[in-house]
Amino acid sequence: PTNHLQVEGSCNIWRADCRAKGGSPGFKVAILGAAGGIGQPLAMLMKMNPLVSVLHLYDVVNSPGVTSDISHMDTGAVVRGFLGQQQLEDALTGMDLVIIPAGVPRKPGMTRDDLFNINAGIVKTLCEGIAKCCPNAIVNVISNPVNSTVPIAAEVFKKAGTFDPKRLLGVTMLDVVRANTFVAEVLGLDPREVNVPVVGGHAGVTILPLLSQVKPPCSFTQEEIEYLTSRIQNGGTEVVEAKAGAGSATLSMAYAAVKFADACLRGLRGDAGVVECAFVSSQARLLYVTELPFFASKVRLGRNGVEEIYALGPLNSHERVGLEKAKKELASSIEKGVSFVGK
Ligand code: NAD
Ligand code: LMR
C-alpha cells in the first residue's frame, strides 16, 4: 500500500527490513489502537521490550506520527505503521501477539458498560481481521467493557472456525497492579514484594481481590479489608474522575499491558512458571473455576497461551459473598457480548 509506513523500508539501501524478514530472534507484535492514550505509551514500552523483533502500530488516525516517533528509538524492534481499515490485514499478517486497546474511554459518570455500543463493533471488526490474517496469534483484549468484549472476540473466532480458548485473554492486569500498590501502602511494604490475586472480571463488583491470599502472607482488619476492596474495585473510576473528562487510565494501563504482554511472550518462548491473572474462557483448560463461560483467575502461560487455570483456593466469608455478586453481574455482561455477535 502506498501510505503503508514501512519506516525502515523507505530506502532500499537499508537492511533493517531484511533483518525483520530474516527471522531475527523475537516475536512479532501488533498494537491495534496504537495512537491512543494507552496505545502510545504501550507502543513505546513494547519497542523497549527485548522479546519483540517486529512491532506493528495500527490505528484509524495518527499512526504515521506515532510510528515515525517510536521508530527513532535505538532498540531492537523494527517498527511499521498502518493507517485505516484498508491496512488492517497487512498490520495483522504474521503476528504472534495482538494487543487491542482500540476504543473509546469513559468520562465521569459513565460505567464501562456504557462504552459497549461503540466498542463492541470496534472489537468485532478487529477480531474478524485477526481470524483471517493471524488466527494463531495470542490476543490480549484491553478495550472495555472487557467482561463483554472478550466474549465478543470469542464469538467472532468461533464463527470463523478459529477459536482457541487458550489464545484469547482479557487484560485484568491493571487490577492486580493497583491491588499490589494499595495493599503495599497499607502494609508499609515495597509494592514489588506484594502479590494480590484479583479474580472475577474487570468492572465494579466483578473485580474481586483475594486479600486472604496475599503474598507475603499477612492479615488485615475489617476496616482495611473494606477500604482495600472498595479502592481496588473503584481504581478505574478514581482515575476517570481525576482526569475530569480527559479519559481514563492510560499510563498505568500501558505499564500493566506491557507487564502482561511480556508474560505472554515469556510463555510463548517456553519459560517455566509464568503465572498471571487474566479473564479467560473456561474452556481454555479442563477446569471450570466457576460455572461461568469466562472468568478472571490465575493462569499459567506457556507455548500455547493459557496452559493451566488455577482454582480459586480457599475464600473467606467476605470473599464468598463478593464472588456471588461478581458472578451475577458477569453472567449478564458475558451474555450481552455473546448475543451481540449472534445478531
Ligand atoms: P483513546 O481514545 O485515547 O484511544 C483509543 C484509540 O483507539 C484511538 O487512537 C482511536 O483512534 C483508536 N480506535 C478507535 N476505533 C478504532 C478502530 N476501529 N481500529 C483501531 N483503532 C481504533 O482511549 P484509551 O484511553 O487508550 O482507552 C482505550 C480503551 O481501553 C477504552 O475502551 C478503555 O476503556 C480501555 N481501558 C481498559 C483498561 C483495562 O484494564 N482493561 C484500562 C484502561 C482503559
Ligand atoms: C480502568 O480500570 O482504569 C479501565 O477499565 C478504564 C476505566 O474506564 O476505568
Side-chain angles (χ1 to χ4, degrees):
T2 47
N3 60 344
H4 177 175
L5 292 156
Q6 285 196 312
V7 170
E8 79 294 344
S10 46
C11 171
N12 61 13
I13 62 165
W14 294 347
R15 299 173 198 170
D17 211 26
C18 304
R19 183 163 63 88
K21 285 189 191 123
S24 64
F27 294 100
K28 298 185 168 82
V29 179
I31 300 175
L32 312 183
I38 296 167
Q40 292 199 33
L42 173 58
M44 182 177 85
L45 293 169
M46 289 308 281
K47 173 78 167 100
M48 294 164 68
N49 188 314
L51 292 178
V52 180
S53 60
V54 173
L55 184 60
H56 282 192
L57 304 181
Y58 172 82
D59 205 303
V60 291
V61 292
N62 299 339
S63 46
V66 174
T67 305
S68 171
D69 192 353
I70 298 269
S71 73
H72 291 186
M73 293 169 66
D74 61 351
T75 60
V78 171
V79 184
R80 300 189 187 114
F82 301 84
L83 179 65
Q85 175 79 28
Q86 70 283 6
Q87 294 191 356
L88 178 62
E89 294 191 4
D90 287 340
L92 290 170
T93 301
M95 293 298 108
D96 300 303
L97 172 67
V98 180
I99 311 174
I100 312 183
V104 290
R106 284 200 283 167
K107 290 192 183 324
M110 292 171 81
T111 66
R112 291 179 183 81
D113 186 60
D114 292 333
L115 306 171
F116 186 97
N117 286 344
I118 299 179
N119 290 354
I122 293 174
V123 170
K124 179 170 176 279
T125 306
L126 296 174
C127 289
E128 284 163 355
I130 293 169
K132 185 168 174 204
C133 301
C134 53
N136 296 320
I138 303 282
V139 180
N140 289 178
V141 180
I142 295 173
S143 316
N144 270 316
V146 167
N147 294 351
S148 303
T149 52
V150 173
I152 288 172
E155 289 305 306
V156 170
F157 296 152
K158 280 181 200 167
K159 267 196 171 174
T162 66
F163 182 50
D164 178 352
K166 294 194 190 119
R167 292 174 185 270
L168 173 62
L169 302 102
V171 180
T172 57
M173 191 80 195
L174 182 53
D175 301 314
V176 174
V177 162
R178 286 179 176 139
N180 292 345
T181 305
F182 304 153
V183 165
E185 274 170 13
V186 165
L187 296 177
L189 294 174
D190 182 328
R192 289 168 295 185
E193 291 162 18
V194 175
N195 194 284
V196 186
V198 183
V199 301
H202 179 68
V205 297
T206 72
I207 300 169
L208 190 62
L210 300 182
L211 297 173
S212 64
Q213 296 180 21
V214 169
K215 292 218 175 86
C218 59
S219 60
F220 298 100
T221 64
Q222 191 57 32
E223 195 190 356
E224 286 168 340
I225 290 173
E226 277 160 28
Y227 161 77
L228 283 168
T229 305
S230 161
R231 183 116 193 254
I232 295 162
Q233 290 182 334
N234 296 304
T237 306
E238 186 179 314
V239 178
V240 168
E241 282 169 3
K243 291 199 174 180
S248 56
T250 54
L251 304 172
S252 52
M253 181 61 237
Y255 166 80
V258 166
K259 204 173 175 189
F260 188 70
D262 183 71
C264 290
L265 295 180
R266 282 184 285 118
L268 279 183
R269 183 174 64 174
D271 288 15
V274 182
V275 176
E276 298 294 351
C277 291
F279 185 68
V280 298
S281 164
S282 306
Q283 294 168 30
R285 252 3 238 168
L286 291 174
L287 176 76
Y288 271 62
V289 176
T290 66
E291 63 282 16
L292 293 167
F294 295 88
F295 198 79
S297 33
K298 273 208 259 181
V299 302
R300 184 168 57 78
L301 299 163
R303 289 193 194 278
N304 301 305
V306 178
E307 301 284 5
E308 191 172 358
I309 301 182
Y310 293 94
L312 288 179
L315 305 185
N316 63 27
S317 57
H318 186 258
E319 290 160 355
R320 281 197 299 273
V321 172
L323 178 62
E324 290 316 307
K325 278 194 208 155
K327 285 201 291 191
K328 205 167 164 228
E329 183 173 323
L330 267 174
S332 69
S333 304
I334 293 167
E335 177 46 35
K336 189 169 173 180
V338 170
S339 55
F340 176 78
V341 181
K343 271 185 209 158

